[in-house]
């Protein structure tokens, strides 16, 4: 079964937009290995929009790779990605054109799925622009899912309809393995927070086999690239990454992975945070708002083997001490139990807490712990 854990990888869109080519893909595949991303669990290298010629081939009716960007075709690119032990992803759209105005797969689903299978594609992101007015969104996603299954190749289906048509209610049944639930992220604190807050009560629909995809990470972009916007500081990137992990959301990097600084690399390869994301049960966190700051979130996520993840997100503009009252999460004071915690950013054991924790967190930052429930 595909997607037994939230998919992890990298996607070209956030940083490179239409400026993609074979060299970039080869260098990025190398970076997966050289930077230890593959060892940390990142697997899918995904080429987003703008990879093809502006029109289909007039004779075969197929979508063809752009002759300057990918002069050797896509099979060669896929072979290189596979030679590194990685999986190869591509992009199309349920409308007649893609969002950046290249040919879309509407009414060509089975032919295009065949083309992707012949390229050696393992993952297809499927967007939602330019569909005919009378077309029914869910049925177009069902069609492509069926076409991918008919292609004879195992291809992970990454649906991207931005949360329209109450996507969470039908997308698992439509055969997708992950589904975008929001509009596009940009590299700002406002953007990742809005996305994280808007989906806080929607992760009950996200589980092994099909996950709520809250978009590619902007971690490490620092304002550069296509969705660079204003950029974030390192505290924001810690918070963004930790939020995605607490939600067990897909971890698709969007920065230039060939040139990550030390902070970015350490963050995105933090094994303990990734283990929270990839936990086998993929349960949504229990979320409470801080009593004195509506936007600051306190979370407890149940993990496998009777362990827990605890997280504090300070989404305000001032440093604060954030309280977690265990009774609000199912652990009353009279139970005789408390949590023994390890800080996942420092790796330090920070002792035993009973009844409550109160943790100082700087503005925009977070604190994340792995916890064990013990008597004491
Ligand atoms: C949409 C998607 C983005 C990206 C672009 C490409 O906006 O939501 O993630 O794929 O299209 O044009």
């Amino acid at each position: 079964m595909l997607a037994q854990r939230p998919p992890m990888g990298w996607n070209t869109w956030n940083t490179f937009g239409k400026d993609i080519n074979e060299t970039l893909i080869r260098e990025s595949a190398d970076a997966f290995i050289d930077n230890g991303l593959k060892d940390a669990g990142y697997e899918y290298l995904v080429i987003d929009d703008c990879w093809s010629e502006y029109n289909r081939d007039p004779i075969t009716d197929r979508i063809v790779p752009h002759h300057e960007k990918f002069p050797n075709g896509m099979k060669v690119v896929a072979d290189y990605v596979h030679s590194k032990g990685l999986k190869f992803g591509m992009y199309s759209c349920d409308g007649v054109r893609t969002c950046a105005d290249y040919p879309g797969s509407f009414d060509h689903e089975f032919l295009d799925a065949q083309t992707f299978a012949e390229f050696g594609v393992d993952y297809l992101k499927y967007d939602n622009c330019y569909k005919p007015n009378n077309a029914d969104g869910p049925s177009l996603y069902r069609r492509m899912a069926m076409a991918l299954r008919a292609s004879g190749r195992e291809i992970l289906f990454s649906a991207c309809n931005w949360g329209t048509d109450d996507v969470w209610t039908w997308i698992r049944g439509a055969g997708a393995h992950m589904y975008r639930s929001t509009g596009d992220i940009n590299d700002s604190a406002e953007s990742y927070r809005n996305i994280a807050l808007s989906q806080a009560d929607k992760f009950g629909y996200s589980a092994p086999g099909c996950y709520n995809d809250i978009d590619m990470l902007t971690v490490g972009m620092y304002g550069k690239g296509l969705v660079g916007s204003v950029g974030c500081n390192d505290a924001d990137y810690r918070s963004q990454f930790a939020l995605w992990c607490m939600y067990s959301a897909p971890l698709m990097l969007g920065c230039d992975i060939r040139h990550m600084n030390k902070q970015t690399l350490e963050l995105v390869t933090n094994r303990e945070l990734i283990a929270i994301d990839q936990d086998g049960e993929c349960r949504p966190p229990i979320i409470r708002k801080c009593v004195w700051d509506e936007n600051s979130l306190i979370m407890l996520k149940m993990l496998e083997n009777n362990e827990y993840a605890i997280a504090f997100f300070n989404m305000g503009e001032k440093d604060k001490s954030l309280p977690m009252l265990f009774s609000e999460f199912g652990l009353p004071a009279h139970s005789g139990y408390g949590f023994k915690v390890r800080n996942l950013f420092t790796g330090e054991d920070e002792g035993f807490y009973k009844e409550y924790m109160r943790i100082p967190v700087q503005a925009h930052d977070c604190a994340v712990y792995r916890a064990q429930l013990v008597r004491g």
Side-chain angles (χ1 to χ4, degrees):
M1 186 181 96
L2 285 173
Q4 291 195 44
R5 297 284 189 278
M8 294 173 65
W10 171 76
N11 175 302
T12 53
W13 184 254
N14 281 3
T15 296
F16 299 100
K18 67 175 171 34
D19 295 327
I20 50 177
N21 56 50
E22 183 178 330
T23 307
L24 170 70
I25 301 307
R26 284 178 181 266
E27 289 177 1
S28 300
D30 294 345
F32 266 77
I33 312 301
D34 301 343
N35 290 331
L37 293 174
K38 178 168 183 277
D39 285 344
Y42 295 88
E43 188 179 22
Y44 290 97
L45 186 160
V46 181
I47 301 180
D48 207 278
D49 205 349
C50 310
W51 59 268
S52 74
E53 292 287 359
Y54 291 107
N55 292 302
R56 288 176 178 271
D57 182 291
I59 298 169
T60 64
D61 209 21
R62 294 208 183 210
I63 311 186
V64 279
H66 191 271
H67 66 282
E68 277 169 6
K69 297 176 183 173
F70 298 101
N72 302 306
M74 279 301 175
K75 180 77 174 56
V76 167
V77 179
D79 286 348
Y80 189 75
V81 172
H82 290 147
S83 77
K84 299 277 166 181
L86 302 171
K87 293 191 169 154
F88 181 52
M90 288 189 72
Y91 166 101
S92 190
C93 182
D94 66 0
V96 290
R97 306 289 291 174
T98 70
C99 296
D101 199 17
Y102 291 78
S105 291
F106 180 77
D107 257 351
H108 291 75
E109 293 85 357
F110 283 73
L111 178 66
D112 291 354
Q114 197 56 51
T115 303
F116 289 125
E118 287 167 19
F119 286 161
V121 163
D122 309 297
Y123 172 121
L124 182 71
K125 174 173 170 182
Y126 206 50
D127 220 334
N128 195 40
C129 286
Y130 296 107
K131 52 177 206 274
N133 283 336
N134 57 358
D136 172 62
S139 64
L140 295 185
Y141 280 90
R142 288 185 197 116
R143 261 203 224 179
M144 185 46 107
M146 202 70 89
L148 292 174
R149 285 171 174 241
S151 76
R153 192 173 167 89
E154 193 167 61
I155 299 177
L156 186 149
F157 189 31
S158 162
C160 179
N161 84 339
W162 323 303
T164 58
D165 296 323
D166 295 339
V167 63
W168 53 89
T169 60
W170 52 268
I171 195 70
R172 178 181 288 268
H177 300 99
M178 54 196 268
Y179 58 97
R180 275 277 299 282
S181 51
T182 71
D184 291 7
I185 199 164
N186 64 57
D187 188 22
S188 67
E190 196 193 1
S191 177
Y192 83 78
R193 285 174 177 175
N194 285 343
I195 286 179
L197 291 167
S198 78
Q199 294 302 302
D201 61 352
K202 299 280 189 305
F203 279 87
Y205 299 90
S206 188
C210 186
Y211 303 89
N212 183 344
D213 169 13
I214 45 177
D215 209 350
M216 283 87 76
L217 293 152
T218 65
V219 171
M221 288 185 68
Y222 298 101
K224 293 195 209 111
L226 185 80
V227 306
S229 178
V230 290
C232 289
N233 61 29
D234 287 326
D236 277 314
Y237 289 142
R238 279 193 289 279
S239 293
Q240 185 188 150
F241 196 75
L243 279 163
W244 268 230
C245 290
M246 288 299 287
Y247 285 149
S248 279
L251 298 178
M252 301 299 292
L253 302 173
C255 66
D256 183 348
I257 53 173
R258 301 167 306 171
H259 305 292
M260 288 183 284
N261 67 13
K262 188 167 169 284
Q263 288 89 326
T264 303
L265 189 55
E266 270 178 21
L267 177 61
V268 303
T269 59
N270 181 317
R271 297 288 203 279
E272 297 237 66
L273 284 175
I274 292 173
I276 303 292
D277 182 81
Q278 299 282 301
D279 183 77
E281 296 192 7
C282 288
R283 294 188 186 277
I286 301 165
I287 305 176
R288 295 279 177 268
K289 291 190 171 168
C290 171
V291 277
W292 52 73
D293 178 358
E294 261 285 279
N295 286 324
S296 287
L297 300 180
I298 296 146
M299 300 186 181
L300 177 110
K301 176 183 171 84
M302 293 190 178
L303 305 174
E304 289 175 300
N305 303 321
N306 208 11
E307 294 201 300
Y308 299 81
I310 290 176
F312 300 81
F313 296 94
N314 180 351
M315 296 200 182
E317 298 306 321
K318 291 197 181 124
D319 299 354
K320 283 192 197 92
S321 203
L322 298 177
M324 175 184 220
L325 200 56
F326 295 158
S327 61
E328 292 187 346
F329 295 82
L331 190 67
H334 60 70
S335 66
Y337 286 84
F339 288 112
K340 205 172 92 174
V341 305
R342 185 171 66 252
N343 184 319
L344 300 192
F345 287 109
T346 63
E348 300 282 320
D349 287 326
E350 290 191 4
F352 176 74
Y353 288 85
K354 213 169 166 184
E355 289 190 46
Y356 72 95
M357 280 172 93
R358 192 164 159 155
I359 302 294
V361 188
Q362 294 189 336
H364 292 238
D365 215 337
C366 63
V368 188
Y369 301 88
R370 193 169 182 108
Q372 285 172 330
L373 185 61
V374 291
R375 230 176 215 296

